[in-house]
Amino acid sequence: MAEKTIQIEIKRQSGPDASSTWEKFEIPWKPGMNVISAMMEIAANPVNASGQETTPIAYDSNCLEEICGSCAMVINGKARMACSALVDKLEQPIRVQPLTKFPVVRDLAVDRSVLFENLKAVQAWVPVDGTYDLGSGPRVFPQQQEVAYPLSNCISCCCCMEVCPQFNDATGFVGAATIAQVKLFNSHPSGKVLKEERLRALAGDGGVQECGFAQNCVQACPKQLPLTEAISDITRDVTLQVAKDFLRA
Amino acid sequence: MATAARPDASQTSNPVGRGVEPLRAGKGNSFLLRKLHSLSGIVPIGAFLIEHLLSNFEALKGPLAYAEQVKFLNSLPLVRFLEVGLIFIPLAYHALYGVYIAMRGKANVIYYPWSGNWMYMMQRWTGYIAFVYIIQHVVRQRFMGVSLPEHPGAAFHKVQMELSNPWMLAVYVIAMIAVCWHFSYGIWLFAAKWGITPGANARRRFGYLCAVLGVVLAVMGLASIYAFVGPNYKNAPADVMPAQTMLYAPSSPGASLS
Ligand code: HEM
Ligand code: SF4
Ligand code: SF4
Ligand code: FES
């Protein structure tokens, strides 16, 4: 009996400025395979479906358990994590391409530094660095923890931004992930100290106002962050902050 | 992390070098402009839409009742000022900025056919329909033909003539549904975006409410259209009332807004 194989087509690009082409592969099926492990098979034997020798696929991945956030790709037309995209649950040929709204580095590896820049722009951290010991932090009540924990699950994969109709070159929209992190750090008893600055940052061009509430982000998020709720809450907070600043000016 | 920044990235305004530009923290005034757009959709434009649909509903009572309503509206104090300040200017702002917003979004329902995404796209398409419709509606009904502020009695006849053209009738029916859709989903959007309905359940329940409102408004609007084209008031007289003298008539009628 012939060995069971899988069909996979990958959009390849040798560098940031190179043109892209689709390359087809037929690789042996293994139980429990996912899109990353399929690409590991290709790396072990880099030959495409027409039998030509090729280069291994470049891509980002690390944890292989949907927790590091590095392996986001567009698989069969949808942005998702490649390591949790099980081959047996995908229609074949599986078509894999890099995220479309982030500059390609090579093949499936993209540059997502825009999210890092956005998180820096809103100071998405708890500022505790100092020259002396600040002691233990304030208590966080379980009720607060229940709000914060789901928001803290963000893995910075950028799926929410990829699927957002408002996240594009024309708007320079900040995207749902950063807004959710503002809610997280604004609710933290120590992180709160930067609350007003974060809200003012988000009132800038490309801020919360650009959201058109298409709600794709919350559908696509692999970690099920309550993104639309965060956007709603934070837009209200930003509006109130802008009004306060206006009256105190 | 892998980066694809060009060596000259520092020379562009985009610190990432290429791709979507990061947040311009605290800079610019698009927040204010966008909130004004959002608010203007509810007040005054949404409020005017409701008034307009209620007024037109009077047409079901016949040409005279309709004329009385037109006369009443034109007798409001400072009516020309209200018309410009509460209708023309906010509507022009919402419409033009709305087109600008719509053109900058990249709808992707083909890849992500989710209901919220459909509604996002429909909000843009119904906006475009409203844009084209309202321009012709204002030009033809407000500024062309017999002037209704001076001849409220001619209102019914004027609309009836317009709707006697089946193409125009189709335009009115489509635009009526599109505008009611746009406004009722707009209320839902407003509540979601201003943090009035952050919770998923609250948003769902409010969605039902907005849907009911949208259907009621659209049915009322379509019923009013029917009043003009149905059998009840066929061939309405050209004028059912004596001419009105304008309260704020400027010296030359040609320069008047009416
Ligand atoms: C009959 C007149 C109109 C009414 C009553 C109306 C009402 C509204 C309302 C209440 C909203 C929700 C505000 C929000 O998004 O927060 C809205 C949104 C919107 N309107 Fe209108 N509108 C009208 C005409 C137009 C026109 C002519 C356009 C032109 C294309 C337009 C484009 C838009 C767009 C693009 C949005 C979505 C904005 C966003 O998602 O941020 N509207 N409208
Ligand atoms: S709700 Fe829609 S427009 Fe807003 S961030 Fe999410 S995907 Fe983008
Ligand atoms: S919010 Fe969700 S989709 Fe967006 S970056 Fe975080 S984990 Fe990914
Ligand atoms: S490899 Fe870490 S999320 Fe996929």
Side-chain angles (χ1 to χ4, degrees):
Chain A
M1 197 179 81
E3 194 190 5
K4 193 176 166 189
T5 60
I6 60 163
Q7 317 279 330
I8 183 162
E9 297 177 14
I10 297 171
K11 196 175 181 187
R12 307 204 56 179
Q13 182 174 332
S14 63
D17 294 305
S19 57
S20 59
T21 49
W22 285 89
E23 192 165 28
K24 293 182 187 172
F25 294 90
E26 185 164 357
I27 52 176
W29 175 88
K30 285 183 181 168
M33 230 180 181
N34 62 55
V35 169
I36 296 286
S37 69
M39 291 194 294
M40 289 171 167
E41 292 294 330
I42 295 172
N45 179 26
V47 174
N48 66 23
S50 21
Q52 287 157 330
E53 188 105 16
T54 184
T55 48
I57 320 286
Y59 57 88
D60 286 320
S61 82
N62 191 348
C63 68
L64 303 186
E65 54 176 1
E66 202 184 70
I67 198 63
C68 75
S70 56
C71 67
M73 298 167 193
V74 176
I75 298 168
N76 285 352
K78 301 229 177 341
R80 55 182 299 180
M81 308 314 289
C83 65
S84 59
L86 298 177
V87 163
D88 290 345
K89 292 191 178 164
L90 291 169
E91 201 184 303
Q92 289 189 28
I94 303 166
R95 285 173 72 83
V96 187
Q97 53 175 316
L99 295 181
T100 61
K101 296 186 182 173
F102 302 83
V104 171
V105 178
R106 183 185 164 104
D107 294 342
L108 303 172
V110 294
D111 179 357
R112 283 170 283 178
S113 26
V114 61
L115 178 54
F116 190 50
E117 293 300 324
N118 284 335
L119 291 170
K120 284 196 284 183
V122 299
Q123 307 182 76
W125 52 73
V126 177
V128 287
D129 288 349
T131 50
Y132 61 95
D133 184 1
L134 294 170
S136 59
R139 280 182 79 97
V140 179
F141 295 113
Q143 290 90 334
Q144 287 173 288
Q145 289 168 16
E146 272 169 37
V147 176
Y149 181 68
L151 296 168
S152 73
N153 278 335
C154 175
I155 56 176
S156 302
C157 63
C158 295
C159 284
C160 55
M161 292 142 87
E162 169 73 15
V163 300
C164 173
Q166 289 291 108
F167 180 81
N168 59 47
D169 293 332
T171 60
F173 176 40
V174 67
T178 307
I179 299 171
Q181 292 313 294
V182 167
K183 181 172 173 185
L184 173 65
F185 288 101
N186 279 1
S187 69
H188 186 279
S190 303
K192 249 193 196 106
V193 63
L194 295 174
K195 182 175 176 178
E196 299 200 331
E197 286 172 46
R198 293 194 192 100
L199 296 177
R200 286 186 195 116
L202 276 185
D205 285 352
V208 277
Q209 69 275 13
E210 287 290 355
C211 168
F213 234 83
Q215 305 166 75
N216 287 358
C217 50
V218 77
Q219 295 273 358
C221 176
K223 306 314 280 185
Q224 280 99 37
L225 264 76
L227 293 170
T228 42
E229 184 175 335
I231 292 168
S232 195
D233 279 332
I234 290 302
T235 313
R236 181 187 55 239
D237 292 353
V238 171
T239 309
L240 292 175
Q241 188 62 45
V242 168
K244 266 191 223 164
D245 288 347
F246 178 72
L247 295 174
R248 293 214 181 107
Chain B
M1 195 201 297
T3 57
R6 286 208 178 92
D8 62 354
S10 57
Q11 280 151 36
T12 70
S13 63
N14 181 350
V16 175
R18 52 168 88 182
V20 177
E21 191 184 355
L23 174 69
R24 282 75 74 205
K27 298 208 180 75
N29 45 22
S30 66
F31 183 81
L32 222 62
L33 295 175
R34 190 61 170 263
K35 286 288 132 184
L36 210 59
H37 176 264
S38 182
L39 186 64
S40 69
I42 305 286
V43 277
I45 310 171
F48 167 70
L49 178 67
I50 292 181
E51 177 279 309
H52 200 49
L53 291 173
L54 286 173
S55 290
N56 281 316
F57 205 57
E58 287 295 298
L60 286 161
K61 296 187 202 149
L64 190 61
Y66 194 58
E68 294 288 358
Q69 183 68 17
V70 175
K71 187 181 160 193
F72 160 71
L73 289 174
N74 279 286
S75 71
L76 290 174
L78 299 174
V79 64
R80 293 300 84 118
F81 170 79
L82 294 180
E83 188 178 39
V84 174
L86 292 187
I87 307 174
F88 288 165
I89 293 174
L91 186 56
Y93 176 73
H94 185 92
L96 293 173
Y97 201 69
V99 169
Y100 170 73
I101 295 170
M103 288 190 340
R104 296 194 320 153
K106 305 267 150 61
N108 55 10
V109 285
I110 300 168
Y111 304 110
Y112 304 107
W114 299 321
S115 58
N117 207 17
W118 272 103
M119 295 306 281
Y120 169 92
M121 195 180 73
M122 289 304 289
Q123 191 67 1
R124 273 113 190 109
W125 281 108
T126 53
Y128 286 136
I129 293 173
F131 187 81
V132 176
Y133 167 80
I134 291 169
I135 291 175
Q136 73 79 29
H137 179 60
V138 172
V139 168
R140 292 176 61 84
Q141 295 294 308
R142 179 69 184 82
F143 295 113
M144 279 168 65
V146 51
S147 166
L148 298 183
E150 281 141 61
H151 304 281
F156 198 97
H157 181 75
K158 188 174 184 179
V159 179
Q160 193 165 55
M161 285 293 103
E162 187 80 339
L163 296 183
S164 64
N165 178 341
W167 290 104
M168 237 348 159
L169 180 63
V171 166
Y172 270 69
V173 168
I174 292 169
M176 182 64 74
I177 295 168
V179 168
C180 292
W181 180 306
H182 186 89
F183 176 55
S184 47
Y185 190 62
I187 301 173
W188 184 88
L189 269 180
F190 180 89
K193 295 209 279 185
W194 288 69
I196 298 165
T197 52
N201 282 337
R203 269 201 305 274
R204 202 191 56 242
R205 292 194 197 113
F206 191 58
Y208 296 138
L209 208 67
C210 293
V212 169
L213 177 79
V215 170
V216 168
L217 290 179
V219 167
M220 278 180 63
L222 295 176
S224 313
I225 290 178
Y226 177 75
F228 294 100
V229 297
N232 290 355
Y233 308 106
K234 268 198 152 47
N235 305 320
D239 205 337
V240 294
M241 246 184 203
Q244 308 292 309
T245 44
M246 276 192 64
L247 277 164
Y248 298 94
S251 48
S252 122
S256 151
L257 252 180
S258 54

